[in-house]
Amino acid sequence: MALTDVAIEKIKTMILDGRLKPGDKLPREADLADQLGISRSPLREAVSVLSMLRILDVRRGDGTYVTSLTPDLLLETMSFIIDFHQDSGILDLFEVRRALEPMAAEKAALLMSADDVAALLALTEAVDIDSPVGDMVANDLEFHHRIATAAGNPVLCSLVDSVAGRTHQARTWRAVTQEDAFEQTKREHRAIALAIGDRQPSVAAALSLSHVAGIENWIRRNLTPAPTTA
């Protein structure tokens, strides 16, 4: 392994075994290098890499700290990658949504409170056909966010939010160009919410899968170039 990789692994091990906890300040560079048995140059590079990954926070004039290590913070790097590939990989994003959102709906059907289900159903009625497109899309994103939150898994919620948020442009285009997009989305959202309220995890998951797959199929037909023939 390269010395930088060795330094990264050793710092990661210190975090995983509890020697360094969220919010802790790392020892001085010279002391940490001695402690890890590596030179200061690869240690400095390792700190730089872990800082970019939001694992460490380098504060000029103060020192280097372990971040909060919360899922939303650690997934910011993945969000950047998703943003970078958004235009070329929109179908890849929907493939990931097909994997994540049924899981979230299934767990929400087991865990979401009756009050939250009622609020979810009310959300489906909060916009109508005359609402601005931006409001429709924001309502759509909020609907899926609430289900992911109710699933009780912060990593899953962060992933759903990251992936779903990066399909914003495609959702907007569909809302503008597909004649019955709003009515269809509203029907499907209501059906998912009712299945969650009825404590039917398998049905909620199936309806969520169908919902995401339907949008994906529309994008495949309308927003991706047709294959060329020789």
Side-chain angles (χ1 to χ4, degrees), residues 108-187:
L110 298 172
L111 299 173
M112 184 177 272
S113 70
D115 287 344
D116 286 342
V117 171
L120 188 66
L121 283 165
L123 182 68
T124 67
E125 304 296 332
V127 290
D128 56 39
I129 192 63
D130 296 320
S131 298
V133 172
D135 290 352
M136 295 180 185
V137 174
N139 183 278
D140 187 3
L141 291 170
E142 178 65 15
F143 178 84
H144 292 284
H145 168 72
R146 291 191 188 186
I147 292 174
T149 299
N153 184 324
V155 176
L156 176 61
C157 183
S158 293
L159 286 168
V160 168
D161 285 347
S162 295
V163 176
R166 272 65 191 181
T167 62
H168 181 278
Q169 291 179 345
R171 292 168 189 241
T172 301
W173 182 251
R174 177 174 180 253
V176 170
T177 59
Q178 183 178 341
E179 184 177 353
D180 62 343
F182 172 77
E183 291 87 351
Q184 181 177 343
T185 296
K186 188 170 183 175
R187 286 195 305 270

